[in-house]
Structures are given as C-alpha cells and as structure tokens.
C-alpha cells in the first residue's frame, strides 16, 4: 500500500509539496511564537529562525525522495525536461518530428495493410479451417489449377476430412434492362458455399441443395449492391422474378452488405453482382474425353473438427492416386505414362493473399530503409544538441549524477521526441493507408477493413521506442562524455563528434543509394514497358466486350459465330471506321497453346514443344489496329467453317520456328491442321514483359468463343461511338448487351498499373530519402563550418583561396559520402535480385541507371552543401575572429 | 546537513525521535523537536534540515504512523506516533548505540 501511495505521489506532486509546505509552515509558526515569548525582536527572531531551520530546500528534497518511487520520479523529471528542450529549439524539433512522422507513419501504414491481409481474421466463420483445393500435373509442369467437377464429386464422396465442400465459378448473364439489355456478372455456386462460409442471407434465404439439380435452378441470390443499384432496394424483392438470359429466375434472397467473396486471386475477375446455383447436369458431372475438357471450378472445403491440414493432404494424395488408377484415359498420357496427378489443399487465406505478399514485402523493405535514414537525421540533430550541453553536463556531474544517469536522461529525451513523432506518424498513417489502398493496382476486397486498430498502435509504439534507441544512443553516449576543454572555452559546443557525423552522413548516403537503386530499377522497367513499341497503333481505338447470349447461340445452331459476322456487317454500314472481333486484347494476355509444325515434328533431341499465343480474329483486325502485314494475306469472310482451316502467324513465330524458310503454305498441327496464309508484325500481348513472343491467329469463323472483344478505330467521341455501335448491334440482334467499354489507351494504362504503382511508391520513398539525406548533409556542413570558423578565418587571412577552403572543409565529407555511395551501390546491386523477384521485373537495370542515380545524388549533395560553404568562403577574418 | 549544534546529534536522530514518541504518544514534529531539546538540557538542537526527512523516512519504513489533525492553535498539523514495528526498531537501535558507546568508552579508558 505504501508503494501505491508513493506511485500516486509521483504524479500528484503538487499535492504532496503542498503538504510539506503546510507541515513546515506549522513548525515555523510554533518556533516563531516561542522565540517571541523569549523576548527576541522581529529581526532577531527571523534570524534565529532561519538559523535553526537550516537548509529547508534540501530538507524538502529529502522528504520528497522518501515519499516517491525514486526511479519513476526521476524518469518523469527527465521526460519533462525532454519537453522543455523540444520547446527551446522549435526549428530542430520540427525537422526531427517531420522526418520521424514520415518514417514511422509510412511504416505503420504498410504494416496496417500487412496486418489486414495476413493477420486479421478473414470475414468468414472460422476462416482458418477453410481450404482451397488445386490439381497438380507434375510431369507436365502444370501446378495449381482448379479441379474439375467430376474430381470434386469424387473427393467429396471419398474423403473423411471435410465437414463441408463447395465450388463456384463465374459467368456472364444478360438481363433485360430499362431500355436495353444489360450484362450481369454472376457467380455460379453449389448450395453448400454459403453455409461453408458461414454467411446467411440478409433477406430471404440462400440456396437449398436441391436447387443445384437440373430443372430446379431458376433461382437467384442478389448481392447487396445489385439489389440497391439495379432494383432500387425494393424491400419486397424476395419472391419476385427477374429475367436472366431470357428465362425467369425467382429471387430467393439478398446477401448482406458486408459479404464479399469476389477476390481476384480466387479467379473472379470482376465484382459479383448475383449468385445462381450451378446446374449439376450430366454434361458437367461426367468425365468426357481428355483431362483438359472438363470444366474447372474453384473448390473450397472446411476441415472437419480435429483434422489437421497435413492429414487432409495425405488423404487427398490417396484419393488422387485412386482416381489416376481408375481413369487411366484421363490421368495418363497417350503413351501410358503417368502425368504426375495430385491434389493439394491450401489454406484459403494463402490463396487470397498470395498475390499481395511480394508487393507488401517490397514496400516494407523500402519504408524501413526510409525510417533508418530518418533516424540518421534525428541522430545528427540530437548529437549537435547534446554536444552543446557540455556545461549542463558538467554541472550535473558535479551534483553527483553518474554517467549512466546522464545517458538515461538523454535517452529519455530521445524517447519524448520519438513518442511525439510516433503519434504524428500514427495520425499520418491513417491517411497514408487510405491513399495506398486507393492507388492499389489490383481490385482488392481484402483491404476493405483496413484501419489503425490496437495492433497497429502497439506496433507504432514499439517502432517509436526502437527508433528512439537507434537514433538516441550515439548522441547519449557522446553527450555524457565529459570534455573539460570544450566546456571551458566560450564557444564550446559543436566540437567533438565529427567522426560520428561523417559516419552518419556516409550511412545515410548508403541507404539512400540502396533505395534509389531499387527505385531506379523499377522506374527504368516502367519506362521500358511504356516506350517499347507495341506493334499496333492504339490511337482512337475503343474496345468493347460482349458475350453472345445463350439463346442466340442455340438459335444459330452449329455456327454461332455467324452472329459476330452479322454484327460486323452492320457496323461496317454505321460509318464508324474499321471494326473487328478479337478474343484477347493486346497487352492483356492471350491463350497459349502447343502445336507442331508439319515436316518439323519434334524429334527426341529436338527443341521443346512449340508454343504460341493464339487469338481468334476477324479479317479487319490487323487493319483496325494497324498491325503491318508482312507477307501473304489476311483472313477473308470465306475462311469459314466449311473451308480449309487457315492461320496467320507473327514475325517472331517465323523467326523462332521457321527460320530461313517460307512460312506461307506450311501447315501447323493443333487438334486440326491449319495452313499458314500470312505473316504479320509482332504485337505485345503482355503488359509486364517486352520479349517478343510467337503469335498465331485463326479466323473467327472457323471456331467459336462466347466472349469476345470488339475493337473499333474511330475519330468519333466516346459517347457518339458507343451509341452507333449499340445501334448497329441491336439492328442485327436486339438483345445483345455490351460491357467493359474503354479506350485502348485506358486498357494499356491498366496493363502497366502494377509496375506503375511500384515505381511510384518506391520512387516516392527514394525521393524522400534523398531529401532527408540532403538535409542531413546541410546540417553537418553547417556544423563543421561553425566549428571551424576560427580556422577558416585564419586561413583566409593567410591568403588561402576559395578553392582551398572548400577543399579543406569538404574534403573529408566528400570522402565519406563517396564511401557511402559506393557501399550503397553495392547494396543496391546485391539486393536488386530480390527487388526484381518481388516486383516481377524481368531484366536487370542497365549500368546507365546507376550512373544517373549517382550523378543525381552528387548534384543534390552539392546543392545541399552550397549555402554553408558560401558562408564559409565569404567569411570576414576579422569579424569571425572577433566573436570568439 | 545543518551545521554547528546539530552535529551533536551524532546521526542518531531516528533513535531519539523514536524514543520520544515511544513515551510521548501522539506528537507533531515541532513537539518532538522541543522535547529532544528539553530532555537534553538544550545540548541537542534539532533543525528541520534533518527532522522532517527523518520522520517521513520512518513513516515510509513503517516505524511511525502519521495523520493530519487540528493542533492546539487550531492549525492543521501532521501528528506522528510509534508503531509496533517502530518499538522493535527502537530496541534494536538502542542496543546498537549502547554497544557502540561502550566500545568507544573502553578505548578511551584503556588506550
């Protein structure tokens, strides 16, 4: 209990002091009265009183020491002193708080994202028990693809490890809008998905198992967004019907607003608007032909109670082996060898967040370096300050303080600074987090709940304490070193500590250089991606996506692609400019397929399987995008399904697979033979790479894809163009919805969103680091000039020229900075491999990049040194020596 | 610390204060100081420089207990009284003092 009271006294000082004063005043009064009784006069009585009272101040101090928790009390005193020092030099304090807020705030922001993605529980019931299953075909080099529906059913029947299993995929539907058909993005699920995730409908109910059976599936579950936006939040929506793909579907429920399951890393490219039951008809559930024909879906499972993941995986191995035995036609290659089929369960969190891990690691690393540089600035300012307090240190030591006590004092003062910086940083991090999330290049459902909660506050507190130690330890130790010479001289103060200053400058240079190297790598990569020719002309091109409605497909029987032909015919008459159909847009990727070239079939020792990127296009495609035709001809309208199959290949295709030979007339063997009729220029199909890839095109009338893009080159404005396109298409078929309308420029911009984000962010960090380093350099040079004012004055008086002054002051600094830069470039080179791995950059930076960075840093350094050096060389010797 | 007369307390202020409180019951600091002076025939004069810190230390150590109460002139004062632990401490210190002074006396007599 005594301890508690002593604790209270630490914080309730004033009350305690008042009591002491009262007690002593009482004693004084009694003594006075006694003295007067004895006959002393006023003045004599006062004198006698003072003599008898002794040293009251010391007495009160001893009373205080008896009544408090001593170490806590002195710590509190030190902290108060820290605040006093902060107020005394607002300029320096502002700089330290600014750099610390930036460093700590940035790190806290990245940590917030990291925590949301990797540490916070997913918003599903007991989400750490949910796994996702994937197939591996080891011998064929295929890893982590979704299982097929027959495999799902077998696993469900043969496994004991799961309490629930479910799957889903996605599909485009068409609903009748107000005055035009509208495309709706839907997820098709098993009924078990919602109980597995632990989600209940906000209105109505979710699917019942029999609704997955054929004939019962005309029900639909709405997302909250769809219900509010498209159906005006109709409170009586449950039970009503909406038309999807021409058929009425009954609305059985609306999902809660908080439910989000459309993570892009799970294979859902767009936000899901509605959910429909997957039709478990024989078409999907039976195994037909080779392994690649069956539909693949994303499978989820909930581990049964008490079943650890390794046991579930072991069981899966058994199931996979059994399947491979039972269905040899599917799981063995034509020559009878095993394809290495296995199934693996991974935690759901891993599948959702795997994409973000490299990015967050990259950002974390960069911001940590920034924080270290910020600590360097703080250390440098604190070092200057602590060396200026030589006299104060001398007095404290004389009063009996130990060196350890002094070091504790300095460290606590650093803690005050870093705590204030931490609070500011925490506030800043809230804003920075929002900005980062807004700029993220990929769609990100997982970050919806990102906020600075208790964990982030704890992290920031720990970071502040750690930073205080990092930047405070050297100034503390140097400051507590009692140096009589500096104290006795009037100018005392900035002497000493120079070697540490230079070392800190070198360290800051090294770290900045490392960060700048990473930024340079990413920026150079971005530049390359943006400026490498794409192989086509994107100006004035608009792209529109469309999916042929099921009804139309069926109506056109064996040749649904004739619908596209009709659309293009109508578009030709609409006066919009060249228009074409294509399955995969440039820079967003195309399907890869293997093939053989007739007459050059792979021999045993020959090159690996030939592969190319394939697209299905209409005849005007090359003209619409201005892709040059190098040889032969483009497709014609009579390259239709009843005519021999033809193909057009790219220059890279010819260079790689038919070097020195005439490609026209040669045949490519896919599942059907194709005759090459033309060669076109290369087109970049991947936003993240610039290596030319072999490409092949087939005619849009010789095969069918339900989802295609329409590309139109037209000088018309977007609104006008879209209106005419829709009109033309509706003239051919009334119920065709179009979606994902954007200009080709927009599409290109999206394709480099990832590299752009990385380059922007790391670049921002690097620029901040550079500014901090420059500020540190400025501080050090100023310090040096002030320190050596007398020396410079004497040199000038003795006739030294400006150049020699500059050399004398800057010589050692330049040497240290050069050493730091060299080390930094070394670190940058050493870490460039990791940076490339984390950012998916394919080529290392050219040496020119490093040269530019080093030169840039040197220029900034010169500018930073300019002002203090200007002062130095313009020193008036008499004036300088006078104020000694 | 104080100068002059206070040296004569020979650092035994704790002992003296405890002894005074042992028979004096509840006293405030001034009363303790006066009593020590009175009993020692004005040879020991207690200054505040030593008395009050000593009293507060003993309070924290649990040898005395204190509380605020109105005094004879109706001003509030802090009153101290000895505790059981304080009595034990008194016995200990008294024995120590007697041992030390006996030792010194022997040296003075026999050397």
């Amino acid at each position: 209990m005594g301890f508690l009271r002593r604790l209270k006294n630490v914080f309730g000082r004033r009350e305690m002091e008042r009591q002491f004063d009262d007690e002593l005043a009482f004693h004084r009064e009694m003594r006075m009265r006694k003295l007067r009784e004895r006959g002393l006069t006023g003045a004599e009585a006062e004198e006698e009183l003072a003599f008898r009272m002794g040293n009251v101040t010391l007495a009160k101090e001893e009373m205080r020491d008896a009544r408090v928790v001593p170490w806590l009390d002195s710590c509190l005193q030190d902290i108060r002193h820290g605040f006093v020092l902060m107020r005394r030099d607002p300029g320096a304090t502002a700089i330290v708080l600014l750099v610390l807020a930036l460093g700590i705030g940035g790190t806290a922001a990245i940590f917030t994202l990291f925590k949301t993605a990797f540490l916070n529980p997913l918003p599903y019931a007991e989400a750490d028990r949910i796994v996702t299953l994937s197939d591996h075909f080891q011998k064929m080099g295929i890893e982590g693809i979704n299982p097929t529906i027959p495999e799902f059913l077998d696993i469900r029947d043969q496994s004991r490890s799961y309490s629930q299993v479910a799957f889903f995929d996605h599909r485009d539907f068409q609903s009748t809008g107000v005055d035009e058909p509208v495309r709706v993005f839907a997820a098709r699920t098993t009924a078990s998905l919602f109980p597995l995730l632990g989600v209940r409908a906000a209105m109505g109910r979710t699917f019942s198992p029999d609704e997955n059976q054929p004939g019962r599936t005309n029900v639909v579950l709405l997302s909250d967004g769809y219900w509010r936006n498209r159906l005006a939040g109709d409170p009586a929506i449950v039970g009503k019907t909406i038309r999807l793909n021409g058929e009425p579907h009954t609305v059985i429920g609306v999902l809660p607003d908080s439910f989000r399951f459309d993570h892009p890393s799970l294979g859902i490219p767009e936000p899901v608007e509605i959910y429909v039951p997957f039709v478990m008809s024989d078409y999907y559930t039976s195994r037909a032909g080779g392994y690649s024909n069956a539909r693949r879906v994303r499978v989820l499972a909930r581990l049964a109670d008490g079943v650890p993941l390794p046991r579930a995986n072991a069981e899966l191995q058994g199931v996979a082996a059994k399947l491979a035995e039972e269905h040899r036609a599917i799981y063995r290659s034509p020559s009878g060898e095993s394809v290495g089929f296995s199934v693996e369960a991974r935690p759901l969190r891993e599948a959702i967040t795997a994409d973000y891990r490299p990015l967050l690691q990259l950002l974390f690393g960069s911001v940590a370096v920034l924080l270290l540089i910020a600590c360097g600035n703080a250390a440098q300012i604190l070092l200057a300050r602590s060396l200026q307090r030589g006299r104060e240190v001398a007095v404290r030591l004389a009063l009996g303080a130990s060196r350890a006590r002094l070091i504790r004092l300095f460290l606590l003062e650093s803690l005050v600074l870093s705590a204030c910086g931490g609070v500011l940083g925490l506030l800043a991090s809230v804003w920075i987090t929002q900005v980062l999330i807004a700029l993220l290049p990929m769609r990100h459902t997982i970050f919806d709940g990102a906020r600075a909660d208790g964990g982030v506050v704890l992290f920031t507190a720990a970071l502040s304490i750690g930073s205080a130690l990092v930047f405070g330890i050297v100034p503390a130790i140097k400051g507590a070193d009692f140096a009589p010479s500096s104290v006795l001289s009037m100018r005392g103060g900035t002497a000493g500590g120079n070697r540490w200053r230079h070392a800190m400058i070198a360290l800051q240079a090294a770290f900045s250089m490392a960060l700048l190297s990473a930024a340079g790598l990413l920026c150079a990569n971005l530049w390359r991606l943006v400026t490498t020719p794409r192989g086509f002309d994107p100006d004035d091109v608009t792209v529109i996506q469309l999916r042929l409605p099921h009804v139309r497909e069926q109506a056109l029987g064996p040749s649904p692609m004739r619908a596209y032909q009709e659309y293009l015919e109508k578009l030709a008459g609409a006066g919009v400019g060249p228009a074409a159909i294509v399955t995969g847009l440039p820079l967003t990727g195309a399907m890869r397929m293997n093939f053989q070239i007739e007459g050059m079939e792979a021999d045993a020792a020959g090159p690996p399987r030939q592969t190319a990127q394939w697209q299905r296009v209409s005849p005007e495609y090359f003209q619409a995008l201005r892709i040059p035709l190098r040889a032969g001809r483009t497709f014609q309208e009579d390259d239709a399904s009843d005519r021999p199959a033809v193909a057009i290949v790219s220059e890279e295709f010819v260079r790689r697979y038919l070097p020195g030979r005439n490609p026209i007339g040669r045949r490519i063997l896919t599942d059907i033979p194709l005759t090459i009729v033309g060669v076109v220029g290369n087109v970049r199909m991947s936003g993240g790479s610039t290596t030319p890839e072999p490409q092949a095109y087939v005619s849009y009338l010789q095969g069918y894809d339900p989802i295609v893009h329409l590309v139109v080159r037209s000088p018309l404005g977007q609104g006008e163009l879209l209106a005419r396109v829709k009109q033309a298409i509706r003239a051919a078929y009334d119920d065709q919805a179009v979606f994902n309308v954007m200009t080709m420029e927009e599409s290109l911009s999206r394709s480099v969103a990832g590299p752009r984000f990385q380059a922007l962010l790391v670049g921002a960090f690097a620029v901040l680091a550079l500014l901090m380093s420059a500020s540190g350099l400025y501080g050090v040079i100023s310090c040096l000039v002030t320190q050596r004012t007398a020396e410079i004055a004497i040199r000038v008086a003795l006739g030294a020229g400006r150049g020699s002054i500059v050399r004398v002051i800057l010589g050692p600094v330049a040497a240290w900075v050069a050493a730091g830069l060299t080390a930094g470039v070394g670190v940058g080179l050493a870490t460039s491999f990791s940076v490339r791995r984390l950012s998916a950059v394919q080529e290392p930076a050219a040496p020119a990049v490093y040269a530019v960075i080093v030169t840039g840093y040197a220029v900034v350094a010169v500018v930073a040194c300019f002002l203090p050096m200007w002062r130095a060389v313009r020193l008036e010797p008499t004036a300088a020596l006078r104020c000694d | 610390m104080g100068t002059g007369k206070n040296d004569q307390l020979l650092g035994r202020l704790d002992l003296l204060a405890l002894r005074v409180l042992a028979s004096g019951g509840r006293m405030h600091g001034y009363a303790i100081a006066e009593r020590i002076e009175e009993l020692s025939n004005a040879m020991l004069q207690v200054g505040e420089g030593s008395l009050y810190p000593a009293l507060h230390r003993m309070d924290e150590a649990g040898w005395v207990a204190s509380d605020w109460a109105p005094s004879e002139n109706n001003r509030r004062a802090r009153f101290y009284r000895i505790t059981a632990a304080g009595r034990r401490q008194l016995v200990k210190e008294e024995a120590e003092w007697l041992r030390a002074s006996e030792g010194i006396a022997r040296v003075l007599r026999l050397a």
Side-chain angles (χ1 to χ4, degrees):
Chain A
M1 208 207 339
F3 180 76
L4 279 178
R5 191 181 37 182
R6 287 208 297 279
L7 199 59
K8 192 160 76 81
N9 280 335
V10 170
F11 298 103
R13 259 175 151 225
R14 219 165 298 190
E15 172 65 25
M16 184 180 71
E17 298 270 344
R18 216 170 41 80
Q19 287 192 353
F20 292 163
D21 286 336
D22 280 353
E23 197 172 2
L24 294 172
F26 174 77
H27 185 117
R28 191 176 274 147
E29 228 184 80
M30 299 289 278
R31 179 64 70 194
M32 262 314 244
R33 201 177 335 147
K34 186 76 175 297
L35 290 175
R36 269 200 245 244
E37 279 173 13
R38 263 209 263 141
L40 273 82
T41 63
E44 287 173 345
E46 295 282 354
E47 216 184 285
E48 176 69 13
L49 177 67
F51 175 67
R52 298 191 78 155
M53 296 293 272
N55 188 340
V56 178
T57 316
L58 196 57
K60 276 171 58 171
E61 210 176 283
E62 289 180 13
M63 285 155 83
R64 185 160 55 229
D65 282 347
R67 288 299 197 177
V68 296
V69 182
W71 55 265
L72 191 62
D73 190 56
S74 61
C75 278
L76 221 64
Q77 270 185 322
D78 292 347
I79 290 177
R80 276 199 206 104
H81 192 248
F83 278 105
V84 167
L85 282 184
M86 269 177 68
R87 273 199 293 274
R88 199 180 290 169
D89 189 354
T93 306
I95 294 180
V96 171
L97 288 183
L98 179 66
V99 298
L100 284 180
L102 283 175
I104 296 180
T107 313
I110 309 275
F111 178 77
T112 308
L113 293 182
F114 179 83
K115 181 167 179 294
T116 311
F118 295 102
L119 297 177
N120 279 359
L122 292 174
Y124 315 116
E126 287 181 49
D128 52 331
R129 303 288 295 165
I130 304 180
V131 296
T132 170
L133 304 184
S134 22
D135 282 357
H136 302 302
F137 292 91
Q138 205 180 7
K139 297 276 173 60
M140 307 186 50
I142 297 180
E143 298 269 325
I145 61 171
N146 286 336
T148 60
I149 297 178
E151 283 165 10
F152 166 82
L153 293 170
D154 283 326
I155 292 172
R156 185 187 65 179
D157 295 334
Q158 297 176 24
S159 286
R160 300 272 158 274
S161 308
Y162 312 108
S163 60
Q164 273 165 326
V165 291
F167 71 77
F168 61 90
D169 74 350
H170 59 85
R171 191 177 182 171
D172 293 300
F173 277 82
Q174 205 157 278
S175 85
T176 329
V178 174
D179 38 26
E180 57 176 12
V182 165
R183 171 258 205 175
V184 183
F185 188 75
R188 298 191 291 182
T189 81
T190 58
S192 51
L193 182 69
F194 302 99
L196 188 152
L197 293 175
V199 83
R200 303 163 72 100
M203 289 170 53
R205 62 175 177 85
T206 62
F207 303 135
S208 55
D210 58 309
E211 278 162 350
N212 282 122
Q213 298 310 313
R216 310 269 188 79
T217 56
N218 279 15
V219 291
V220 61
L221 198 49
L222 306 178
S223 72
D224 184 84
Y226 188 82
W227 172 59
R228 282 186 207 280
N229 297 337
R230 300 290 185 83
L231 299 170
D234 180 357
I237 192 69
V238 176
K240 295 200 178 160
T241 58
I242 60 176
R243 288 191 88 80
L244 294 172
N245 280 2
E247 291 184 16
H249 285 65
T250 312
V251 177
I252 56 159
V254 178
L255 288 170
D257 177 33
S258 56
F259 176 67
R260 297 246 190 286
F261 199 65
D262 36 31
H263 306 282
S265 32
L266 289 183
I268 311 174
E270 298 181 43
V272 171
E273 299 178 84
I274 60 174
Y275 297 80
V276 292
F278 196 97
V279 183
M280 301 289 275
S281 63
D282 289 340
Y283 176 75
Y284 292 117
T285 59
S286 65
R287 289 188 157 83
Y291 60 84
S292 60
N293 285 355
R295 176 168 291 269
R296 295 189 176 271
V297 292
R298 169 69 66 176
V299 174
L300 296 183
R302 176 179 286 282
L303 290 172
D305 284 336
V307 176
L309 187 58
R311 204 202 309 169
N313 265 321
E315 191 186 32
L316 274 178
Q317 298 290 55
V319 172
K322 204 155 153 255
L323 286 179
E325 267 308 305
E326 279 176 20
H327 303 278
R328 284 176 162 263
I330 298 176
Y331 297 109
R332 301 212 171 235
S333 71
S335 57
E337 287 181 24
S338 146
V339 294
F341 171 64
S342 65
V343 184
E344 188 196 0
R346 274 196 311 161
L348 179 63
R349 177 190 289 281
E350 226 179 271
I352 293 180
T353 58
D355 287 347
Y356 300 109
R357 194 179 283 270
L359 178 65
L360 284 179
Q361 282 175 338
L362 181 68
L363 292 181
F364 231 141
S366 309
V367 84
V369 171
L370 187 67
L371 180 58
L372 282 175
I373 297 178
C375 286
N377 272 21
Q380 207 248 93
I381 291 181
L382 280 184
L383 185 63
R385 192 172 77 175
S386 73
L387 291 174
Q388 272 170 355
R389 291 160 69 183
R391 212 164 293 143
E392 179 191 335
V393 167
V395 169
R396 284 182 187 263
L397 285 172
L399 284 178
S402 67
R403 193 153 166 266
R405 177 79 177 76
L406 279 179
I407 293 180
R408 192 187 77 183
L409 168 70
F410 289 132
L411 279 179
L412 281 175
E413 289 167 6
S414 307
L415 194 63
V416 167
L417 270 176
S418 85
C420 292
V423 167
L424 288 175
L426 191 63
L427 293 174
S429 83
V430 172
W431 178 77
I432 296 176
T433 310
Q434 294 311 315
V435 168
L436 283 179
I437 292 180
L439 289 178
L440 273 178
M442 58 283 253
R443 193 169 60 86
H444 43 76
T445 321
I446 192 88
F447 292 123
D448 280 347
R451 62 179 53 83
D453 57 9
V456 174
V457 171
L458 269 176
F459 176 80
T460 310
L463 206 58
S464 300
I465 295 176
S467 306
L469 280 175
V470 165
F471 70 73
I473 191 71
V474 169
I477 294 180
K478 293 296 296 183
D481 271 344
F482 181 52
S485 58
S486 70
V487 172
L488 294 177
S489 86
M490 289 304 280
R491 217 187 325 112
T494 49
N498 274 351
R499 207 172 28 166
W500 277 106
R501 286 213 178 84
H502 285 118
M504 264 185 248
I505 288 293
L507 274 174
Q508 280 190 323
F511 282 133
S512 301
M513 209 51 217
L515 203 50
L516 282 167
S517 301
L521 181 71
L522 293 172
C523 289
N525 179 56
L526 182 65
W527 178 253
R528 196 170 47 84
L529 290 178
V530 167
T531 56
T532 306
R534 304 176 190 109
F536 66 97
D537 182 5
D539 291 338
D540 291 335
V541 173
T542 306
V543 304
I544 300 168
Q545 199 169 359
L546 47 87
R547 193 214 197 279
L548 210 56
H550 194 52
V551 172
R552 189 94 180 104
E553 280 176 355
Q554 295 191 314
L556 287 171
S559 306
M561 47 282 207
R562 279 190 285 130
Y564 299 139
Q565 203 173 18
E566 289 170 16
Y567 295 154
L568 287 177
E569 275 168 21
K570 291 286 189 263
L571 275 172
V576 294
I581 296 275
V582 63
T583 48
L585 288 177
L587 280 110
T588 56
M591 196 183 64
R592 279 173 200 280
M593 204 159 65
N594 299 332
F595 56 91
Q596 306 257 26
I597 299 186
E598 195 178 54
M600 299 178 64
E601 280 85 354
D603 31 325
R609 224 180 302 269
Q610 285 114 328
T611 181
Q613 293 169 324
W614 291 81
Q615 286 166 286
R616 202 177 288 285
V617 300
S618 65
E620 285 208 337
Y621 176 69
F622 304 108
Q623 183 193 354
L625 289 188
R626 297 202 183 141
I627 300 171
L629 184 67
R630 299 288 185 214
R633 65 169 179 86
T634 176
F635 294 123
Q636 292 156 355
E637 288 301 330
D638 58 355
D639 287 318
S641 40
D642 49 343
R643 301 292 300 274
V646 291
I648 297 178
V649 298
S650 69
E651 286 176 309
E652 177 67 16
F653 186 106
V654 175
R655 192 192 69 82
R656 216 184 267 204
Y657 300 130
L658 294 167
R661 294 179 179 74
N662 181 15
I664 312 283
R666 283 205 166 260
R667 302 220 296 173
I668 305 176
L669 306 169
T670 60
D671 41 349
I672 51 167
L674 305 163
T675 311
I676 301 179
V677 295
V679 180
V680 291
N682 290 326
V683 172
R684 277 175 62 199
M685 290 307 289
S686 163
S689 118
T690 54
T691 331
E693 295 249 12
Q695 283 144 6
Y697 302 88
V698 286
S699 166
Y700 79 129
L701 293 175
Q702 287 178 338
Y704 173 63
D705 286 278
I707 304 182
V708 295
H709 300 267
L710 193 60
V711 295
V712 183
R713 175 182 295 279
S714 174
L716 293 173
Q718 187 85 322
E720 170 74 21
L721 176 62
L722 191 58
R724 289 207 197 176
V725 165
K726 283 189 190 171
Q727 197 180 24
I729 290 181
R730 303 274 293 290
Y733 178 69
D734 198 32
D735 209 22
Q736 175 71 59
V738 301
F739 53 96
N740 287 348
V741 180
M742 64 182 91
T743 62
M744 182 59 95
E745 290 287 0
E746 270 173 35
S747 174
L748 293 182
S749 170
R750 286 191 196 193
S751 72
V752 289
R756 189 174 49 221
F757 180 74
Q758 287 167 351
L760 196 69
L761 229 50
V762 178
F765 289 151
V767 166
L768 280 175
L770 189 61
L771 288 175
M772 288 185 192
S773 296
S775 146
L777 199 57
Y778 175 86
V780 164
I781 304 286
S782 299
C783 212
L784 286 177
V785 166
T786 313
Q787 252 179 25
R788 300 166 74 168
T789 304
E791 175 196 339
I792 298 171
I794 293 175
R795 282 178 188 267
V796 168
L798 287 179
R802 293 210 191 124
S804 116
I805 304 285
V806 171
R807 234 174 322 149
V808 160
I809 303 271
L810 285 190
V813 171
W816 280 92
V817 169
L821 285 183
T822 314
V825 170
V827 170
L829 282 171
T831 57
S832 77
F833 184 69
S834 304
V835 171
R836 277 173 44 214
R837 187 175 52 86
L838 291 177
S839 59
V841 169
Q842 289 177 333
E843 290 172 18
V849 173
Y850 292 101
V852 165
I853 293 175
V854 172
T855 316
Y857 192 94
V859 166
V860 171
V862 165
V863 169
C865 297
F866 184 72
L867 204 54
M869 287 312 300
W870 183 251
R871 270 191 294 129
V873 301
R874 295 175 76 61
L875 224 40
E876 282 277 352
T878 45
L881 289 169
R882 204 186 309 134
C883 64
D884 191 339
Chain B
M1 280 310 131
T3 56
K5 297 237 175 78
N6 279 343
D7 286 303
Q8 301 197 338
L9 284 174
L10 301 171
R12 294 296 178 177
L13 188 51
D14 284 12
L15 173 59
L16 297 175
L18 281 175
R19 187 65 188 85
V20 163
L21 280 175
S23 46
R26 210 160 146 267
M27 306 165 72
H28 51 65
Y30 179 71
I32 299 174
E34 282 291 275
R35 188 97 179 106
I36 293 178
E37 255 189 66
E38 177 194 351
L39 287 177
S40 67
N41 263 340
M43 194 144 50
L44 304 174
Q45 254 186 359
V46 184
E48 281 170 38
S50 26
L51 177 61
Y52 283 100
L55 285 172
H56 280 260
R57 264 197 302 271
M58 290 196 287
D59 193 352
E60 280 297 320
W63 303 335
V64 304
S66 67
D67 58 277
W68 286 91
S71 69
E72 46 265 30
N73 60 348
N74 255 348
R75 268 194 72 137
R76 261 175 31 116
R78 200 171 195 136
F79 284 83
Y80 297 85
R81 58 186 162 73
I82 196 169
T83 62
R87 288 184 197 275
R88 287 196 292 275
Q89 180 70 12
L90 173 60
V91 167
K92 215 172 72 160
E93 287 208 23
E94 219 168 344
E96 222 174 273
W97 163 258
L98 289 172
R99 228 187 346 252
S101 70
E102 193 189 310
I104 294 177
R106 283 172 63 89
V107 172
L108 290 176
R109 196 173 50 242
L110 302 174

